[in-house]
Each structure stands twice: as C-alpha cells, then as structure tokens.
Amino acid sequence: MRDLNLPGGVDEKRFAQRREIRAVVDAHFSTLEKSDALAGMDAFYQRAYAMMSSETARAAFDLKKEPDKLRDEYGRNAAGQRMLLARRLVEGGVRFVSLTYGGWDHHDNIRNGVTNQMPNFDQAFAALVRDLDRRGMLDSTLVLVTTEFGRTPKINRTAGRDHYPKVFSIVMAGGGIKQGYVHGSTDPTGSEPDNDPLTVPDYAATVYHLLGIDWEKTLLAGARPVKIVKDGEVVKGMLA
C-alpha cells in the first residue's frame, strides 16, 4: 500500500530524522499556545506513524492470505475484492471503512449500466454480510449502502434516468439494525414518499446512535453553535 510505505528516497534513518524535526517544531508551538486543534493533529500523526510501522495494518491489505474459495464467493472483480478487503480491514481493527464501486450516474442507457454492474455488486454484498455473520462480526459491524439522491421514476429520451432527490433507497445491515426489515414505502410509481419515510436527519441520527456518537451534541464553529444533526430523531423501529 502506497500510504503505508515510505516514499522513494526516504529510508528509515531519514524518516526518523524527519520525525525528530517535526517534534521540535511541535514543541515550540506547544509552548506558545495550548489548543485542542494542536493536540488533535498530534494524535493524527501518532496514529499514522503507528499504521506505517504496523505489520498487522500491511497484512490486512494482502488479499492473497484469503482462501481461493472465499475470494470466489465474493467474486473475482472490483466489487467482490473491495468488499473482501473491507472485511479484512475491519477484522484488523479499522474503525471506519469506505469504499466505492463503479459509476451509477446512468443518464443514458441505464439498462446496460445496471445489468453490467449489479450482479457483481449483489454477489459481493451478500458474501460480505454472510462472511461477517460467520465470523461473529456482523452484530458489531454496521454495513451501509448509501447514495446522495435517487433517479427519476420515468425513463428519459436517452434511455436513462436523471437526478431525483425526493425518493431513494439505502441498505443497512448488522451493527444493531433489525434483520429482514423494510422501513417506509413510496407511491406506486416511486415518485413520492408514501408511508413512514426516513428523512436524512433521521438517518444521520440513527447511524450516529449506532456508532455510539452523541448526535444531539452541539459543536462550535468559531463562536457559532452548530448541532451535529438538526431536526433528526433515532428511528427506534429500525433497531434490533
């Protein structure tokens, strides 16, 4: 992994010298000002150093350590191997993993776009949930498939669907979410929310709650108070 290895021309000795120089600079500024921002940045540096020196972190990225049968179960493609890597990272102690797969902005020829991408995604996502469950990790791992907006209910003139913010679906699994549960519904054409819609603030509050974050907390942007989630509530019906 590029970011877990030293850059070209920097050996262990030179890297150690750089760390010492940064420590001197930090010590100087720490005597001038005490702030949470400085302490926070120092913590980030220390965690980065720990990852770069960790054999466990590097090993987590080595998919060859997985049995061929399991790699086949996920799928030998971008979707499958990325989701397998996500599971390895979580198993290795990573607290938050984000991945992308393919492009879904199907303004044109949406049928081919979905047909080419969805089977690999379905296989990989199902394998990820099964694998986490088999390993006893699903209850403590929240898996989310999300998007920023939906698609228009009607096909456009170029056989695609355009941006549509009113209605879209997400998937949540594990991590305290009720199994086999469908929340909310739309009208028959998928044009408008019909029953029990999940708002974005409610979604955010629910996810933060599951992550153990106080979503009702107020932070300060300078002197201006800003709530982490505005006008949201935890949707208890979704929780196991």
Side-chain angles (χ1 to χ4, degrees):
M1 284 300 296
R2 180 193 63 193
D3 293 335
L4 294 184
N5 294 309
L6 296 177
V10 179
D11 56 18
E12 293 288 349
K13 181 179 179 181
R14 186 177 179 188
F15 182 65
Q17 290 174 335
R18 287 184 172 188
R19 289 189 63 174
E20 290 173 4
I21 292 172
R22 191 192 71 83
V24 171
V25 174
D26 282 355
H28 169 72
F29 282 104
S30 294
T31 60
L32 300 177
E33 180 180 357
K34 299 292 183 183
S35 75
D36 291 341
L38 289 175
M41 283 303 299
D42 189 59
F44 287 137
Y45 275 116
Q46 296 306 321
R47 289 161 71 180
Y49 293 147
M51 284 191 67
M52 293 178 69
S53 62
S54 170
E55 292 296 331
T56 303
R58 276 193 287 270
F61 287 93
D62 188 359
L63 292 176
K64 294 179 181 178
K65 294 184 180 295
E66 294 291 334
D68 286 340
K69 183 179 179 180
L70 186 62
R71 295 188 70 180
D72 292 339
E73 181 181 343
Y74 274 86
R76 301 276 186 155
N77 49 63
Q81 300 307 288
R82 289 180 186 186
M83 292 199 198
L84 177 55
L85 177 57
R87 191 227 78 209
R88 287 185 59 82
L89 290 171
V90 171
E91 198 170 35
V94 177
R95 299 287 301 277
F96 189 96
V97 178
S98 177
L99 69 87
T100 60
Y101 162 63
W104 302 88
D105 200 16
H106 297 136
H107 293 280
D108 309 296
N109 201 3
I110 190 172
R111 181 173 181 176
N112 282 354
V114 171
T115 300
N116 290 336
Q117 293 186 139
M118 189 59 78
N120 289 346
F121 174 84
D122 281 347
Q123 177 182 348
F125 181 70
L128 174 63
V129 173
R130 282 196 305 269
D131 198 12
L132 289 169
D133 192 32
R134 286 193 298 251
R135 295 167 187 270
M137 298 168 58
L138 185 59
D139 287 344
S140 59
T141 306
L142 180 62
V143 185
L144 308 174
V145 181
T146 60
T147 179
E148 56 187 322
F149 48 71
R151 313 300 298 195
T152 47
K154 294 183 179 181
I155 299 293
N156 63 22
R157 290 181 296 177
T158 55
R161 295 169 68 191
D162 299 316
H163 299 175
Y164 195 70
K166 288 186 177 182
V167 176
F168 57 95
S169 300
I170 61 173
V171 179
M172 306 174 73
I177 289 294
K178 188 183 296 182
Q179 295 186 15
Y181 174 74
V182 178
H183 184 89
S185 63
T186 71
D187 63 12
T189 62
S191 302
E192 300 284 345
D194 183 32
N195 178 54
D196 229 2
L198 177 67
T199 67
V200 173
D202 286 353
Y203 166 71
T206 303
V207 169
Y208 281 133
H209 169 74
L210 292 170
L211 294 177
I213 295 172
D214 182 5
W215 59 273
E216 295 182 288
K217 187 175 181 179
T218 298
L219 304 177
L220 289 178
R224 183 166 61 94
V226 178
K227 296 195 68 172
I228 293 178
V229 177
K230 183 180 179 181
D231 301 328
E233 295 290 339
V234 175
V235 183
K236 295 182 179 178
M238 295 168 54
L239 306 183

